[in-house]
Amino acid sequence: AGLNGLFEWGAFGDDSAARNDLVPILVARARTYGCEASQVVVIGDTEADVACARAAGAVAVAVATGWRTREELQKTEPDLLLDDLAVGLEPLLGLIRGLQTPRG
C-alpha cells in the first residue's frame, strides 16, 4: 500500500524472515523515538499479525485483503478492522494520530 513512505521508521519483512521477530524490532525502534509499545501499530492481514501485535503490547490493525475473511479477522478482536487500506486509510491515520506523543 506504500505506507512505508509515510513513516520515518518501521519494521518490515526485510528486517527478519520470522514474523514474530518484527514487532520486538519495531518496539525497540519506537523506544528510540520516545514511544512505548502501546503506540506501535502492527498492520496485517492474518490472525498471526494480530497475535504478534498483542504479544508485544502493540496496537493491532487487521486488513481483510489477504486470505482471511473479515469475519475470521474479527474473531481476533483487532483494535481496528478494515476491508481495504485504500478505503480505510482515514480511520487508520486517525488511529495513528491518536497514539502520537508530542515531540519536544
Side-chain angles (χ1 to χ4, degrees):
L3 289 177
N4 59 339
L6 298 174
F7 305 102
E8 295 178 34
W9 48 272
F12 302 93
D14 58 344
D15 288 307
S16 175
R19 178 190 321 249
N20 287 342
D21 291 345
L22 295 178
V23 180
I25 290 169
L26 183 55
V27 168
R29 290 178 182 164
R31 287 194 175 118
T32 67
Y33 284 86
C35 298
E36 296 301 319
S38 62
Q39 296 171 292
V40 170
V41 178
V42 176
I43 303 169
D45 60 3
T46 71
E47 299 92 336
D49 296 315
V50 175
C52 69
R54 294 283 183 246
V59 176
V61 175
V63 185
T65 54
W67 296 103
R68 301 295 186 255
T69 66
R70 180 179 182 81
E71 292 74 25
E72 289 170 320
L73 292 172
Q74 183 65 48
K75 291 177 186 176
T76 66
E77 300 181 9
D79 296 293
L80 180 62
L81 176 58
L82 304 170
D83 291 318
D84 186 293
L85 281 177
V87 176
L89 191 54
E90 282 307 312
L92 174 61
L93 293 176
L95 173 75
I96 292 168
R97 286 183 196 108
L99 299 172
Q100 292 179 349
T101 55
R103 290 184 182 214

